[in-house]
Amino acid sequence: MFSSNTNKYKLFNEDALSLLSRIPSNSIDLILTDPPYNIALKSTGNIQLRNGKIINNDIADWDKNPLNPLEYMSNFKRILSSKGNIFIFTSYSLLGKWHEAFDKEFNTFQIFVWHKTTPTESVYKNSFLNSCELVVCLWNKHHTWNFLSQKEMHNFFECPSCRYPEKLSFPNHPTQKPLVLMEHLIKIASNLNEIILDPFMGVGTTGEAALNLNRKFIGCDINKQYCEASLKRLSKF
Ligand SMILES: C[S@@+](CC[C@H](N)C(=O)[O-])C[C@H]1O[C@@H](n2cnc3c(N)ncnc32)[C@H](O)[C@@H]1O
């Protein structure tokens, strides 16, 4: 274990699969996670704008290791409580693989969309802006569901990308999610004191959102610097 604070959170600096294999069955109420998207594999590199600004088109080295959703299916299914929910951020390149591995294992497979109101600008202006991220949503019949007003239950959510001062300057995580988005999903799909797991936690956004809402958190990342940043973020609780 990397660190633990009372019984509110536990953080692990290791490979997600190795942690998942040790988590007891039926013990997690919500898996809310943002694994690699494998879009860096298709990147043609960073783009230099005329004003000197560089658009990060590479995401990160961690996105280059091929991720196979099937490898996560049996443990996600085993550790989820009978009233649990799973939300997995993904990309167009892995969506089909998540569907193939998970759809037949759960009663429901739905898609939720995060619409970023501040997308990266389009350099060549010859395609759509990349302003949406996909979230795979999975559950079984007796899942927890806190239905908010009809207006709040559209299967998309709009907010800006994570910006300063919420965005950490060190380490600069290229895909740090906004707290308001994670809190929205946690409110809908879990209750007070329940356990939220993010095995690809990056700099701990799911953890901070969970603790803000008086849930408990288990988080993991393979990168030590990201784990240290998560610990710093969560140590205020
Ligand atoms: C998309 S980012 C998550 C960002 C996070 N949602 C946040 O707000 O900071 C994916 C993370 O998965 C981590 N990762 C990649 N492969 C992993 C593995 N096999 N086990 C655990 N973590 C891994 C990367 O280090 C990266 O921080």
Side-chain angles (χ1 to χ4, degrees):
M1 190 187 308
F2 184 70
S3 160
S4 149
N5 179 10
T6 65
N7 63 352
K8 286 187 182 167
Y9 61 86
K10 291 184 171 68
L11 304 184
F12 298 84
N13 175 210
E14 62 182 271
D15 180 82
L17 279 174
S18 95
L19 171 66
L20 288 168
S21 67
R22 300 197 308 278
I23 295 183
S25 300
N26 307 312
S27 64
I28 301 295
D29 300 295
L30 170 63
I31 300 172
L32 170 54
T33 192
D34 182 22
Y37 323 99
N38 286 172
I39 48 180
L41 293 169
K42 298 183 178 161
S43 169
T44 47
N46 288 348
I47 300 171
Q48 169 110 41
L49 301 182
R50 264 189 240 135
N51 62 10
K53 202 173 138 192
I54 290 176
I55 292 188
N56 176 5
N57 201 31
D58 255 349
I59 302 230
D61 283 345
W62 51 254
D63 198 49
K64 291 180 180 152
N65 297 329
L67 181 138
N68 180 2
L70 191 56
E71 287 184 347
Y72 295 88
M73 197 280 297
S74 57
N75 273 316
F76 274 19
K77 203 174 161 185
R78 180 185 62 76
I79 63 179
L80 194 70
S81 80
S82 56
K83 58 187 171 62
N85 290 289
I86 303 180
F87 292 157
I88 306 165
F89 284 75
T90 192
S91 64
Y92 62 89
S93 43
L94 282 184
L95 179 61
K97 289 186 182 164
W98 286 109
H99 185 264
E100 198 182 336
F102 280 72
D103 180 48
K104 55 185 177 301
E105 304 292 337
F106 291 85
N107 291 155
T108 302
F109 181 110
Q110 276 198 341
I111 295 295
F112 177 93
V113 171
W114 169 34
H115 177 223
K116 292 182 245 189
T117 52
T118 50
T120 305
E121 60 192 275
S122 170
V123 184
Y124 305 117
K125 300 190 170 46
N126 59 359
S127 64
F128 290 116
L129 292 172
N130 196 8
S131 65
C132 288
E133 283 199 25
L134 307 173
V135 184
V136 166
C137 311
L138 299 149
W139 55 75
N140 286 320
K141 205 170 168 192
H142 299 293
H143 71 130
T144 296
W145 204 244
N146 298 312
F147 198 93
L148 309 178
S149 70
Q150 294 279 352
K151 217 173 122 192
E152 288 179 274
M153 291 306 291
H154 290 235
N155 63 341
F156 75 91
F157 187 80
E158 280 187 326
C159 71
S161 307
C162 192
R163 294 175 295 185
Y164 301 101
E166 184 179 314
K167 174 121 177 67
L168 305 186
S169 44
F170 185 82
N172 177 12
H173 195 294
T175 67
Q176 182 181 337
K177 292 290 174 291
L179 276 167
V180 65
L181 167 66
M182 302 317 241
E183 287 175 358
H184 179 72
L185 296 173
I186 289 171
K187 272 186 220 159
I188 291 171
S190 69
N191 293 314
L192 287 181
N193 295 319
E194 288 189 340
I195 301 179
I196 319 284
L197 169 72
D198 185 349
F200 299 90
M201 71 175 166
V203 288
T205 312
T206 306
E208 184 169 356
L211 297 179
N212 276 343
L213 295 171
N214 296 312
R215 273 69 167 171
K216 293 174 185 164
F217 179 64
I218 299 174
C220 172
D221 201 285
I222 205 160
N223 180 302
K224 187 156 181 266
Q225 207 175 47
Y226 293 160
C227 285
E228 283 165 356
S230 299
L231 176 59
K232 202 164 157 200
R233 238 174 138 185
L234 301 196
S235 54
K236 67 183 178 211
F237 290 94

